[in-house]
Amino acid sequence: MASHGLSPSLNRLLLALKYATFQPRCCAVHKAHYSTVYNGNEKTFDKILIANRGEIACRVIKTCKKMGIQTVAVHSDVDSSAVHVKMADEAVCVGPAPTSKSYLNMDAIMDAIRSTGAQAVFMLCYHTLLYIYSKLHGIVIVCYKIESKLIAKAAKVNTIPGFDGVVKVCALCYPVMIKASAGGGGKGMRIAWNNEETREGFRFSSQEAASSFGDDRLLIEKYIDNPRHIEIQVLADKHGNALWLNERECSIQRRNQKVVEEAPSTFLDPSTRRAMGEQAVQLAKAVQYSSAGTVEFLVDSKKNFYFLEMNTRLQVEHPITECITGLDLVEQMIRVAKGYKLHHKQEDIPINGWAIESRVYAEDPYKSFGLPSIGRLSQYQEPVNLCNVRVDSGIQEGSDISIYYDPMISKLVTYGATRAEALSKMEDALDNYVIRGVTHNIPLLREIITHPRFISGDISTNFLPEVYPDGFKGHQLEASTRRELLASAAALHVASQLRSQRILVLYIRMFNGERVEVCGQWSLASPLLPLTINNTHRMLQSLSRDASGEIVLQYLGTSFKVRVLSKLAAELNSYMPEKVPEDTTSILRSPMPGTVVAVSVKAGDTVAEGQEICVIEAMKMQNSLTAVRQAKVKSVHCKAGETVGEGDLLVELE
């Protein structure tokens, strides 16, 4: 069996599994909208080992429980109390926190397989799912972008013009996309518009690729400006049958990572959908693929589509496909892995309703649309009490979000008979989602799904930088919403003063003499504040209150600080000195927790505006920090290999 560029340890795992006649593994489901019922008469596996963590591991376990399959969880030492460990029937520690020493430690995983007697293995290696079964050849090849592009061409799938070998030189016209051959999830990807950006992109992409995937090979292809990113879900068995399960619209992205997805797409007509689906099936059959997988395309404004990559795994966004087709994809994967034929024909695959998925991350959306945040979930409440809302997560109240792993908190999915209904449900779900202890991206998610361009379907992969050219600033209040916010803060202040849990009707007179009617009933101990303001229902969240009169409310997704003072306190407050803001042009602080990869300057150096000062890696993504002005370096407070926290001082400039 050829290695196809895999690391020696991973090759040992694949070979060992092949000769041990292990069968393919699976991926699981949460409570969702699908109608298929598991047939208990179909014998599959007795025990499956899940070589992963977080929500995907929990997802696997839920479906395995439904099918009567025992599960084995592997975990790092810091994940010993993780949700997936508690859910599994057995658990094995495979090493310390860094993924290279635990979840990617193939020798330790092999030992866990042998010691537990697992018959099948589920492995998701940083967005590269390896299907362990007799026809391994095709699966390994399509895991690598270089090889998959060559295969796609041979299968007569539309491809993007580019350099088809390992990157050594580039003969393409700009702009170009630099990609990690073994990559996924936006890691190891850069857009370059000139030679200098190509050199910088090559450096960062190769380093990220080596860190995340153990393979620093890159490919370069023509960058299609302002496209849509639309993918086709495929499902194939070992008997030559293959289906396409409609599309998912994944164009809302930041740093080439998906943020909001929906199914179906507002853009595709039936003929384009069919053409994309048929080409996706052609590729799956060309590599004798047998499982659930995804073929991703870029689609231009004229509905021309080009193959991007094939992901031989169950995608993060698979729940929205389950919602509109009624299929439990995980159950189908397990059946196929055992050798059963697909139950369905292509004409059986429907599009019923509409589904939206928002990826909820522990990220600060005000920094480059989302830089990682760490911390402990001091309070956590999923909006699962709402109708047609699904939450796939692998955390709970008290869980830690660390620098070692992906910062995803959950996949929030809503479903409706129409797109408008699904969007309305998503708005409610985001307003009712309680997350405390870490910074999260709910403000950005809510702004996206309520933006007129998104509602109209006028989107592309450039949506975020086009809509927010100066960066995301949160919800911008208009006069009416400002009145609602101030009235809500005043109502909360009055309720807390009266120690009341119920305000039937409160009339608040604003600065211009306008009267605002606020009514509601809540517990002051609850973070959720259901209010009716001038006959409009709003769900606010009380984030904090202090003795100075400052109240922090989450309103329309964004956190706002409001001070409610007595007349005397307001008069005295005018005499209080204002805090002088820090001069950020003379210092460089870390915008996120992470590890210092490189420091490019030393004390006494002169740096130009835009010159790189240091590189911080967080969640396997490398971020170059640059000088905002020309200056002389006064002192350096960090060195390569050190761990830094958000706000830590890195470099001082004169």
Side-chain angles (χ1 to χ4, degrees):
M1 182 176 64
S3 69
H4 303 292
L6 293 171
S7 65
S9 60
L10 187 50
N11 262 320
R12 288 198 302 274
L13 175 61
L14 298 180
L15 285 166
L17 291 175
K18 178 184 178 184
Y19 293 115
T21 65
F22 278 53
Q23 300 292 328
R25 66 312 29 99
C26 64
C27 280
V29 147
H30 193 74
K31 181 180 180 182
H33 301 275
Y34 46 76
S35 58
T36 55
V37 178
Y38 172 61
N39 181 0
N41 295 324
E42 291 183 340
K43 177 65 176 176
T44 56
F45 305 102
D46 296 321
K47 184 184 291 187
I48 291 177
L49 182 140
I50 304 150
N52 230 96
R53 69 180 302 278
E55 59 85 19
I56 192 64
C58 295
R59 173 96 169 73
V60 175
I61 294 169
K62 288 169 184 173
T63 287
C64 288
K65 285 182 180 296
K66 180 184 73 173
M67 300 180 71
I69 300 170
Q70 289 192 318
T71 54
V72 180
V74 297
H75 62 90
S76 66
D77 52 9
V78 298
D79 270 349
S80 59
S81 298
V83 174
H84 76 283
V85 175
K86 296 176 181 178
M87 289 178 62
D89 298 296
E90 302 176 52
V92 179
C93 182
V94 289
T99 54
S100 61
K101 298 179 180 179
S102 52
Y103 296 101
L104 297 183
N105 182 347
M106 300 308 162
D107 291 332
I109 291 174
M110 277 302 305
D111 289 341
I113 294 168
R114 284 190 289 263
S115 65
T116 59
Q119 298 168 312
V121 179
F122 172 87
M123 179 175 289
L124 180 62
C125 299
Y126 276 90
H127 304 282
T128 302
L129 184 61
L130 301 176
Y131 289 154
I132 315 304
Y133 69 120
S134 57
K135 294 181 180 177
L136 182 65
H137 165 75
I139 307 309
V140 173
I141 286 181
V142 293
C143 281
Y144 291 89
K145 292 182 175 67
I146 295 173
E147 290 88 343
S148 67
K149 188 173 179 181
L150 295 172
I151 293 172
K153 276 187 175 181
K156 301 187 183 306
V157 176
N158 302 348
T159 59
I160 302 170
F163 185 72
D164 296 327
V166 178
V167 173
K168 295 181 181 177
V169 295
C170 178
L172 293 174
C173 296
Y174 290 108
V176 296
M177 174 68 82
I178 303 170
K179 296 180 180 179
S181 175
K187 296 180 176 67
M189 295 180 68
R190 294 289 191 284
I191 300 168
W193 295 81
N194 52 49
N195 290 340
E196 182 178 347
E197 290 184 2
T198 299
R199 285 190 292 268
E200 183 180 83
F202 185 91
R203 175 166 68 100
F204 286 127
S205 292
S206 59
Q207 289 173 354
E208 286 180 3
S211 174
S212 297
F213 316 115
D215 184 343
D216 64 359
R217 293 183 301 158
L218 305 175
L219 65 87
I220 288 182
E221 62 189 16
K222 180 67 178 174
Y223 173 63
I224 298 178
D225 196 15
N226 213 40
R228 286 174 178 259
H229 184 141
I230 301 177
E231 61 192 27
I232 300 291
Q233 176 73 57
V234 295
L235 180 64
D237 63 23
K238 298 180 181 180
H239 304 277
N241 303 305
L243 305 172
W244 48 274
L245 309 181
N246 303 312
E247 79 280 4
R248 295 187 288 257
E249 173 72 72
C250 307
S251 297
I252 305 299
Q253 303 180 3
R254 51 98 177 91
R255 297 191 302 279
N256 302 304
Q257 293 177 311
K258 302 162 189 172
V259 180
V260 176
E261 300 103 340
E262 61 180 307
S265 170
T266 61
F267 189 63
L268 294 191
D269 54 68
S271 61
T272 307
R273 176 179 296 116
R274 185 182 308 108
M276 293 176 68
E278 289 174 352
Q279 286 200 15
V281 166
Q282 285 172 211
L283 179 57
K285 288 184 174 181
V287 295
Q288 302 176 51
Y289 189 73
S290 59
S291 192
T294 300
V295 181
E296 303 194 6
F297 295 93
L298 292 181
V299 185
D300 67 19
S301 60
K302 297 180 180 180
K303 293 187 172 68
N304 297 310
F305 57 90
Y306 306 93
F307 171 73
L308 185 62
E309 63 189 38
M310 182 173 182
N311 283 303
T312 54
R313 59 182 170 96
L314 196 65
Q315 294 279 80
V316 169
E317 57 273 20
H318 74 272
I320 57 179
T321 295
E322 294 182 327
C323 288
I324 68 165
T325 63
L327 294 178
D328 179 344
L329 292 181
V330 177
E331 178 186 326
Q332 298 302 316
M333 294 176 74
I334 297 176
R335 291 185 65 258
V336 167
K338 189 61 177 177
Y340 293 109
K341 290 184 179 181
L342 298 179
H343 278 316
H344 303 84
K345 303 294 184 183
Q346 188 61 57
E347 57 269 22
D348 299 331
I349 306 303
I351 297 180
N352 289 329
W354 215 283
I356 313 285
E357 176 177 289
S358 293
R359 299 192 184 193
V360 182
Y361 282 103
E363 290 182 339
D364 186 344
Y366 301 97
K367 298 178 179 177
S368 301
F369 299 112
L371 293 182
S373 170
I374 62 172
R376 176 166 293 177
L377 291 169
S378 57
Q379 193 171 14
Y380 184 74
Q381 183 177 312
E382 297 175 347
V384 291
N385 60 304
L386 302 179
C387 180
N388 287 345
V389 173
R390 164 178 170 177
V391 182
D392 282 17
S393 66
I395 49 87
Q396 61 187 1
E397 191 165 290
S399 293
D400 288 314
I401 307 296
S402 76
I403 64 172
Y404 296 106
Y405 310 118
D406 188 273
M408 178 180 282
I409 293 175
S410 73
K411 302 180 301 190
L412 177 62
V413 180
T414 58
Y415 173 80
T418 64
R419 185 171 187 260
E421 185 180 330
L423 285 173
S424 178
K425 289 287 184 183
M426 181 60 71
E427 197 174 332
D428 290 342
L430 290 169
D431 285 343
N432 281 270
Y433 206 146
V434 177
I435 304 173
R436 304 284 187 272
V438 297
T439 305
H440 54 77
N441 68 333
I442 282 181
L444 176 61
L445 295 172
R446 198 183 190 283
E447 287 299 294
I448 290 171
I449 62 131
T450 57
H451 194 278
R453 269 190 60 179
F454 183 84
I455 292 172
S456 69
D458 178 19
I459 61 175
S460 73
T461 55
N462 292 327
F463 177 88
L464 288 179
E466 287 176 356
V467 172
Y468 308 106
D470 299 321
F472 179 66
K473 308 296 183 183
H475 183 79
Q476 301 302 298
L477 294 172
E478 299 175 349
S480 59
T481 51
R482 184 174 183 271
R483 286 193 297 271
E484 284 189 6
L485 173 63
L486 294 177
S488 301
L492 179 60
H493 175 78
V494 171
S496 62
Q497 293 295 309
L498 298 176
R499 294 292 187 267
S500 173
Q501 294 188 7
R502 182 172 185 172
I503 293 181
L504 294 178
V505 180
L506 179 65
Y507 296 103
I508 299 174
R509 195 169 298 280
M510 308 306 287
F511 302 116
N512 59 1
E514 182 178 354
R515 192 175 72 168
V516 179
E517 180 183 294
V518 180
C519 59
Q521 183 173 347
W522 65 80
S523 167
L524 291 175
S526 172
L528 296 175
L529 300 175
L531 296 178
T532 300
I533 309 168
N534 285 347
N535 297 319
T536 300
H537 176 71
R538 299 291 191 192
M539 179 62 77
L540 287 78
Q541 294 190 29
S542 174
L543 304 184
S544 66
R545 303 194 305 272
D546 63 26
S548 71
E550 183 176 277
I551 299 174
V552 182
L553 293 175
Q554 182 174 304
Y555 170 67
L556 301 178
T558 296
S559 298
F560 294 96
K561 290 183 179 179
V562 180
R563 296 194 73 184
V564 181
L565 302 173
S566 66
K567 183 177 180 180
L568 176 60
E571 292 173 353
L572 295 175
N573 188 63
S574 63
Y575 297 101
M576 297 295 290
E578 292 187 7
K579 183 179 180 181
V580 179
E582 187 176 52
D583 180 10
T584 56
T585 64
S586 298
I587 59 172
L588 179 66
R589 294 187 181 276
S590 178
M592 76 208 87
T595 302
V596 179
V597 175
V599 179
S600 306
V601 299
K602 61 182 183 300
D605 287 353
T606 298
V607 294
E609 180 181 351
Q611 181 178 333
E612 180 179 289
I613 293 179
C614 62
V615 177
I616 304 293
E617 180 177 281
M619 279 78 171
K620 301 297 181 182
M621 297 290 287
Q622 296 195 359
N623 302 271
S624 176
L625 307 184
T626 60
V628 297
R629 63 178 175 86
Q630 182 175 333
K632 187 176 181 179
V633 177
K634 179 180 179 181
S635 57
V636 178
H637 299 271
C638 63
K639 59 183 179 181
E642 285 186 342
T643 299
V644 295
E646 180 179 355
D648 284 1
L649 181 62
L650 303 176
V651 174
E652 291 183 272
L653 304 176
E654 293 183 351

